Amino acid sequence: MPIIGPGYDDPEYDNYDPAWRHQNTPFRQWLTPKLAAAGLQPEMATMYAPANRYNGLSPDDMDAIATLTGTTPDKVRAAHKADIAEWMREQQLRNHPDLAVLDTGLDHIARRR
C-alpha cells in the first residue's frame, strides 16, 4: 500500500515504531470489542490505538470514538487514562531495569499462590 505523505524515515515520524499498529494496549483492548459490537471492523482500532498514547486524543477524537462505539466521551476518557497509567508504569520499568526484575519476581510469587 503506498504511503501518502512523509515516509516512516522522515523527521516528521521521529520515534515512530511500526509495532504501535499492533500493540495490545489497554485502550485497544477496550476499543476493539466495542467496535466489533457496533458492527465495525476491529482493525479500526489502529486509527486510535496507540495514537492515544503518543499523540493524545483531542475532544473531537473522543467524540468520534464515543459515537463509533456507542459509549460516552467520559468512558472513552476513562479508558484513555487507564491506558496512560499503564504506559507510565511500562516507562518506569524500562527506565529502571532493576524494577523490571523485581516486578517479574513479584509476578512469579503472585502466580504461585
Side-chain angles (χ1 to χ4, degrees):
M1 179 170 173
I3 296 172
I4 298 173
Y8 298 132
D9 58 349
D10 289 339
E12 183 175 329
Y13 282 95
D14 284 350
N15 300 319
Y16 175 80
D17 182 349
W20 293 349
R21 297 176 61 84
H22 306 289
Q23 284 178 328
N24 193 22
T25 64
F27 188 73
R28 185 184 297 264
Q29 291 171 15
W30 176 85
L31 182 58
T32 301
K34 295 203 176 342
L35 291 170
L40 300 169
Q41 295 295 323
E43 293 79 25
M44 287 181 67
T46 301
M47 291 173 25
Y48 295 107
N52 71 301
R53 284 187 173 191
Y54 303 100
N55 301 319
L57 292 176
S58 71
D60 289 341
D61 290 336
M62 289 191 196
D63 287 342
I65 294 168
T67 299
L68 290 171
T69 59
T71 60
T72 65
D74 287 338
K75 289 186 179 188
V76 175
R77 188 175 296 103
H80 169 65
K81 286 183 177 183
D83 189 74
I84 295 301
E86 175 66 22
W87 185 52
M88 289 171 62
R89 182 176 176 274
E90 289 172 11
Q91 297 307 308
Q92 188 177 37
L93 291 175
R94 283 191 184 110
N95 292 338
H96 301 284
D98 52 326
L99 291 178
V101 172
L102 175 64
D103 184 57
T104 301
L106 292 173
D107 286 347
H108 179 70
I109 291 168
R111 282 191 297 269
R112 289 192 314 206
R113 293 181 183 215

